[in-house]
Structure formats: C-alpha cells, structure tokens
C-alpha cells in the first residue's frame, strides 16, 4: 500500500526531477538503450513502480517483449548487442558500485562501444536513475506499479 504521494507533497521538487529526466532524450544515448538502462537499474533497486513504468515506456517505443523479459538475465541472453551489453554492464557496476570503483575491464568494454561523449552521456544517465532518486522515492513511499499510467501516457502500452 502506498505510504504517501510525493508528487503532491513535493510537487516543485518532483517537477524539477522530471525536467532533469527529460534532458536525457536529447543525449547521444538512443531511446532503446536508455530504456534498458532504466529498467535494469530499477530492477537492481527493487523498485516495482519504476520497473513497471520503464517496461511500459519501452513497449510503447516498440521494444520486443522477449527482450524486456531478458533484461534481468542479459548476460546469458543472446538478444542484446555488444553496445547494449556494455550499457547494461555499466549500469550494474555503477548501481552496485564496488568498493574499489569501476573495474578497468568494464570501462574498456564500454569504451569500445561508445564515443567519449556517449560514454559521458551514458554515465550521466546511469547516475541520474540512481541519484535523482526516482527509485529511492518510489521504494520509500511504496508507489503502486501502474498507479500513474494515465498521467504518464503509459496506458498506451496496452499491458495489463
């Protein structure tokens, strides 16, 4: 059960977070990869609201359903390109930040798939999903998955 509606209680802060999030649509990271990153980070945080929302967004943007099911097991799946795998590896290492930082092998794998600008944009994206607190807010207040579908236009995903 939802604890409180932070959208209403802190509407100005929520609005600013949404504006910040919208900036990622203008980066070098293409929408399908952005969505995979957001889904994976949300899975790692255990944020049902965000997983639900990002899967619906990906579905609206014509992501294949089987790939959505495979995000959690991307290492074993054959459905992801080297570029997508690099983004997912970067997402995991930055979300679960190891005590010794990002290992060189992961950095090099990502660097072979992305320009310096794109690598910077990708890192900002992963950092944003982890630091601009959507996952933390939604977990803290137990946001109900699907409760904002109409407001975000996610009802168009036709997933029930």
């Amino acid at each position: 059960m939802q604890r409180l509606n932070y959208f209403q209680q802190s509407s100005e802060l929520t609005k600013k977070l949404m504006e910040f999030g919208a900036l990622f649509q203008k980066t070098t990271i293409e929408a399908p990869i952005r969505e995979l990153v957001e889904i994976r980070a949300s899975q790692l945080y255990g944020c049902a609201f965000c997983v639900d929302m990002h899967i619906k967004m990906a579905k609206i943007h014509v992501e294949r359903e089987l790939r959505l099911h495979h995000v959690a097991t991307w290492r074993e799946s054959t459905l992801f390109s080297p570029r997508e795998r690099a983004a997912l590896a970067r997402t995991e290492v930055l979300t679960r930040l190891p005590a010794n930082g990002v290992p060189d092998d992961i950095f090099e794998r990502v660097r072979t798939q992305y320009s310096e600008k794109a690598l910077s944009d990708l890192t900002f994206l992963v950092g944003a999903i982890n630091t601009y607190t959507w996952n933390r807010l939604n977990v803290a207040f137990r946001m109900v998955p699907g409760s904002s579908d109409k407001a975000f236009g996610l009802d168009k995903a036709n997933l029930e």
Side-chain angles (χ1 to χ4, degrees), residues 1-4 139-144:
M1 174 175 222
Q2 186 169 317
R3 292 177 172 158
L4 65 82
V139 169
F141 295 121
R142 292 188 182 153
M143 294 294 287
V144 176

Side-chain angles (χ1 to χ4, degrees), residues 9 11 14 23 31 33 37 44 61 74 78 91 97 105 114 120-121 129 131 133 141-143 145 155:
Q9 299 304 315
S11 60
T14 302
L23 293 174
I33 290 180
V37 163
L44 294 171
H61 293 115
W74 65 270
T78 59
T91 301
L97 205 54
D105 65 316
Y114 292 87
S120 181
D121 287 349
I129 191 75
T131 61
T133 66
F141 295 121
R142 292 188 182 153
M143 294 294 287
D155 47 344

Side-chain angles (χ1 to χ4, degrees), residues 9 12 16 26 45 53 56 76 81-82 109 113 115 119 136-137 142 146 150 156:
Q9 299 304 315
E12 220 23 62
K16 293 297 181 187
K26 300 174 185 173
Y45 267 106
M53 178 179 68
K56 288 174 181 171
E76 294 81 20
S81 71
R109 180 177 356 152
Q113 298 296 320
S115 68
L119 178 54
R136 292 179 190 270
L137 285 167
R142 292 188 182 153
K150 194 166 196 86
K156 295 174 187 140

Side-chain angles (χ1 to χ4, degrees), residues 4-151:
L4 65 82
N5 186 331
Y6 68 84
F7 286 88
Q8 292 173 346
Q9 299 304 315
S10 303
S11 60
E12 220 23 62
L13 293 171
T14 302
K15 180 182 173 191
K16 293 297 181 187
L17 285 177
M18 291 177 87
E19 289 171 5
F20 180 59
L23 293 174
F24 289 98
Q25 295 177 14
K26 300 174 185 173
T27 66
T28 58
I29 306 303
E30 53 271 34
I33 290 180
R34 283 196 316 268
E35 291 159 352
L36 293 175
V37 163
E38 291 169 335
I39 291 166
R40 188 63 187 134
S42 298
Q43 288 173 335
L44 294 171
Y45 267 106
C47 181
F49 180 89
C50 291
V51 169
D52 179 79
M53 178 179 68
H54 293 302
I55 284 176
K56 288 174 181 171
M57 289 173 75
K59 185 78 171 139
I60 289 168
H61 293 115
V62 200
E63 181 59 78
R64 291 186 1 235
E65 208 159 322
L66 185 57
R67 282 170 40 95
L68 295 174
H69 290 290
H70 281 225
V71 172
T73 58
W74 65 270
R75 279 185 178 80
E76 294 81 20
S77 176
T78 59
L79 301 179
F80 301 101
S81 71
R83 185 172 169 83
E84 291 166 331
R85 291 173 155 321
L88 290 165
R90 185 101 173 139
T91 301
E92 286 189 3
V93 74
L94 293 177
T95 300
R96 295 178 170 159
L97 205 54
N100 296 325
V102 177
D104 290 337
D105 65 316
I106 292 177
F107 180 78
E108 290 304 323
R109 180 177 356 152
V110 177
R111 198 162 107 159
T112 66
Q113 298 296 320
Y114 292 87
S115 68
E116 287 186 1
K117 168 81 168 110
L119 178 54
S120 181
D121 287 349
L122 175 63
T123 304
F124 265 94
L125 174 63
V126 175
I129 191 75
N130 290 318
T131 61
Y132 70 36
T133 66
W134 289 120
N135 284 312
R136 292 179 190 270
L137 285 167
N138 292 325
V139 169
F141 295 121
R142 292 188 182 153
M143 294 294 287
V144 176
S147 62
S148 297
D149 282 3
K150 194 166 196 86

